[in-house]
Amino acid sequence: MNPLKHVAIIMDGNGRWGLKNYNSRNKGHRYGLKTVEKIIKASIQNKISFLTLYAFSTENWKRPISEVSYLFKLLENFLNNKIFDLHKQQIKLKIIGKKNFSKKLNKLLLFCENKTKNNKKLQINLALNYGSKSEIINAVKLINKNKKKINETNISNCLYTKNIPDPDILIRTGNTNRLSNFLLWQISYSEIFFIKKLWPDFNEKDYNVIIKKFLKLKRNFGSI
Ligand code: IPE
Ligand code: IPE
Ligand code: MG
C-alpha cells in the first residue's frame, strides 16, 4: 500500500452548481464550504497530514467584482466562525499564495496562522491568490538574490510549500481536465483524479473511493 501524506484539491464547479440549483453562482460557493468541512473531517479520519485546497487563483481576479467580493466575505466569515473549532481539532492553517489582501483580511489570516501554528493533526494549506507560475518566478528570483545554486532542492525550498512533501494525490472536481496554474512544480509525480461531480456534490464517500484506488496504485517515479 502506498503511503499517503498529502492530498491537494482543485475545488471546481461551485458556480455551475449554484446556477443550476439556485440560479446564483454565489450560492454555489456557499454550499461548496459544506464540502470543505466534510473533506477536512474525512482527511483526519484517513490520517492525512497535509490537505491543500485551491480557493482562489491569481487569475480569479478576472471575475466580476461582485463574485470576488462575495468569495472573500465568505472566507472571512468562515475563518471568524471556525478558527477556534479548527484549532480545537489540532488543525494547522497555512496560507499559500501572495498575501496582499485588505489590511483587515491580512490581519485575520496572520492571526489564524499564528493561532494554529503548533498544531500537529492536519495541516491545511489554503491556496489564496495562488498561482504556480508566479510562485516559481519568485523562487528563482530569491535564489538569484541569495546567490544560491539553481537546483531542485533550492527551488523547492523557495516555494510557498517549503518543507511540505509533494502531493500524493491531486483531485479536481467539476468535470474539467486541466490544472489551472496549480502546484505545477509540486505535482510532477502526483496521482491525478479528475472527477465529474461539481464540488458541492462531492462528498466523503467519493473521497474515500479515490483514496482506496490510490493506495493500490503502482507508483514508479521513473523506475519500473
Ligand atoms: C471554483 O468554482 C471556486 C473558485 C474558483 C473560487 P468555480 O467558481 O470555478 O465554479 P465553475 O467552474 O464556474 O462552475
Ligand atoms: C481553478 O478553477 C481555481 C480554483 C478552483 C480556485 P477555475 O474555475 O478558476 O479554473 P479555470 O479558469 O476554469 O481554468
Ligand atoms: Mg471553475
Side-chain angles (χ1 to χ4, degrees), residues 11-16 25 60 63 172 176 178:
M11 312 182 286
D12 195 28
N14 288 348
R16 279 165 284 162
R25 288 183 53 84
N60 286 146
R63 295 186 179 202
R172 180 175 187 139
T176 303
R178 59 175 171 251

